[in-house]
């Protein structure tokens, strides 16, 4: 008798209680009345939602990938997708002539902390989506836009006017590369 009870319970758990649960009275009534209404033509309104796009992301066709090889779409330090975090991308050339691309100033700083010597650092100007020398960039740090690999956002602009317009809309402070880099170093303290 106990064996039969255990087998029955086991089958019940395995089958996932396949029996249909009884519907509440009001749902049954609604279904019945819907059948009558369905005879009248009606328009179905479908809500179309766009997938959430992060501020840092651009279309793949708009991203400039400077690295070569099968991992060219990924940050050399953390492995994050460079297109997804394109507006915070940085790049620099190591002493072997290899171009390294980073998802953020944070990862560029981390690579330097590992003892890698880099030259010709560049950053993406978020207005044109082109790389510019970091010495020519105006960084807006601490805006309300999300940061990449840090708590403090850092977005670069070639034009001071573009940086000021972004700052007016999103807050933050306008600084040069050296100041933004010093702030990035604080992530490692």
């Amino acid at each position: 008798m106990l064996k039969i009870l255990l087998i029955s319970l086991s089958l019940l758990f395995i089958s996932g209680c396949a029996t249909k649960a009884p519907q509440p009275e009001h749902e049954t009534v609604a279904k019945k009345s819907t059948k009558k209404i369905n005879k009248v033509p009606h328009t179905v309104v479908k809500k179309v939602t766009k997938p959430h796009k992060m501020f840092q992301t651009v279309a793949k066709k708009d991203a400039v990938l400077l690295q070569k090889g099968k991992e060219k779409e990924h940050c050399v330090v953390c492995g994050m997708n460079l297109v997804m975090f394109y507006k915070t991308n940085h790049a620099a050339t190591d002493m072997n002539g290899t171009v390294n691309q980073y998802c953020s100033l944070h990862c560029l700083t981390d690579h330097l902390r590992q003892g890698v010597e880099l030259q010709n650092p560049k950053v993406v100007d978020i207005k044109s989506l082109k790389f510019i020398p970091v010495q020519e960039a105006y960084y807006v740090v601490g805006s309300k836009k999300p940061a990449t690999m840090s708590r403090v956002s850092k977005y670069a602009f070639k034009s001071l006017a573009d940086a000021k317009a972004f700052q007016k809309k999103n807050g933050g402070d306008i600084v040069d590369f050296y100041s933004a880099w010093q702030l990035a170093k604080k992530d490692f303290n």
Side-chain angles (χ1 to χ4, degrees):
M1 179 75 162
L2 183 60
K3 249 184 182 176
I4 294 172
L5 180 63
L6 289 175
I7 291 172
S8 298
L9 285 174
S10 298
L11 289 174
L12 183 66
F13 286 122
I14 291 171
S15 69
C17 302
T19 60
K20 187 176 177 183
Q23 293 181 332
E25 182 72 25
H26 66 280
E27 286 184 20
T28 307
V29 171
K31 283 188 178 180
K32 287 178 185 173
S33 63
T34 304
K35 288 181 183 176
K36 292 177 186 173
I37 294 172
N38 283 343
K39 293 179 183 176
V40 178
H42 64 282
T43 305
V44 176
V45 178
K46 202 174 196 181
K47 185 177 178 184
V48 178
T49 57
K50 294 181 181 179
H52 175 69
K53 180 181 166 191
M54 297 186 318
F55 177 75
Q56 302 99 312
T57 304
V58 299
K60 191 172 182 176
K61 67 177 179 54
D62 296 329
V64 177
L65 298 175
L66 302 173
Q67 299 183 124
K68 305 289 184 222
K70 64 180 182 176
E71 294 297 320
K72 72 179 184 178
E73 291 185 18
H74 301 281
C75 176
V76 295
V77 173
C78 71
M80 288 194 345
N81 186 288
L82 293 170
V83 175
M84 189 176 290
F85 298 95
Y86 186 72
K87 290 182 183 174
T88 56
N89 273 204
H90 284 70
T93 306
D94 65 22
M95 293 314 196
N96 296 326
T98 303
V99 177
N100 297 294
Q101 197 162 339
Y102 308 91
C103 67
S104 62
L105 182 55
H106 173 93
C107 283
L108 172 70
T109 303
D110 192 16
H111 210 194
L112 289 169
R113 286 174 32 94
Q114 295 171 20
V116 177
E117 292 185 37
L118 298 171
Q119 57 191 6
N120 194 23
K122 297 177 181 182
V123 63
V124 170
D125 164 33
I126 73 166
K127 181 83 173 179
S128 69
L129 301 181
K130 293 184 167 102
F131 277 94
I132 60 171
V134 294
Q135 300 87 341
E136 297 175 14
Y138 298 93
Y139 282 78
V140 178
V141 298
S143 73
K144 67 181 181 182
K145 293 296 182 185
T148 303
M149 297 295 288
S150 176
R151 291 181 187 266
V152 180
S153 64
K154 300 164 197 76
Y155 291 98
F157 298 85
K158 183 168 180 72
S159 154
L160 179 58
D162 290 340
K164 285 182 177 181
F166 181 85
Q167 178 192 39
K168 185 176 181 180
K169 187 175 179 182
N170 300 293
D173 298 313
I174 298 174
V175 299
D176 63 359
F177 168 74
Y178 183 77
S179 299
W181 184 44
Q182 295 307 310
L183 189 59
K185 285 181 177 181
K186 290 182 180 180
D187 290 344
F188 302 97
N189 292 339

